[in-house]
């Protein structure tokens, strides 16, 4: 529960880095392989972030049940 927010922040930062690189309108034309690699990485990072968010919510709900 304590580590997940840190991991989620790291994943969000990695997504932001890739979004910044992919914002270059010439990237696909100049280097389609890099564009496709970044898109694949972002897809995996977003899926991982979603999983972490769901896990964090479940753990938070369990903690509230135990405390409540």
């Amino acid at each position: 529960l304590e580590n997940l927010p840190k991991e989620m922040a790291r994943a969000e930062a990695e997504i932001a880095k890739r979004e910044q690189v992919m914002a270059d309108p010439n990237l696909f034309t100049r280097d389609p392989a890099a564009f496709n690699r970044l898109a694949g990485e972002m897809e995996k990072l977003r899926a991982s972030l979603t999983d972490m968010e769901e896990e964090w919510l479940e753990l938070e709900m369990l903690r509230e049940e135990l405390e409540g």
Side-chain angles (χ1 to χ4, degrees):
L1 189 59
E2 292 176 17
N3 291 330
L4 279 172
K6 294 173 191 172
E7 292 177 29
M8 291 185 312
R10 275 189 228 116
E12 290 169 344
E14 290 298 320
I15 290 168
K17 285 180 192 176
R18 284 159 179 79
E19 286 176 339
Q20 188 175 22
V21 173
M22 290 181 73
D24 177 357
N26 298 314
L27 176 62
F28 184 77
T29 304
R30 187 178 63 246
D31 192 349
F35 181 89
N36 289 329
R37 179 181 48 79
L38 288 167
E41 290 172 2
M42 283 183 49
E43 183 178 332
K44 289 178 185 176
L45 283 166
R46 285 185 176 140
S48 176
L49 180 59
T50 298
D51 290 345
M52 285 186 277
E53 289 170 340
E54 289 174 2
E55 183 179 359
W56 183 83
L57 286 171
E58 288 175 16
L59 291 171
E60 189 64 33
M61 287 173 32
L62 286 171
R63 184 179 74 144
E64 287 178 11
E65 285 179 21
L66 291 173
E67 290 178 355

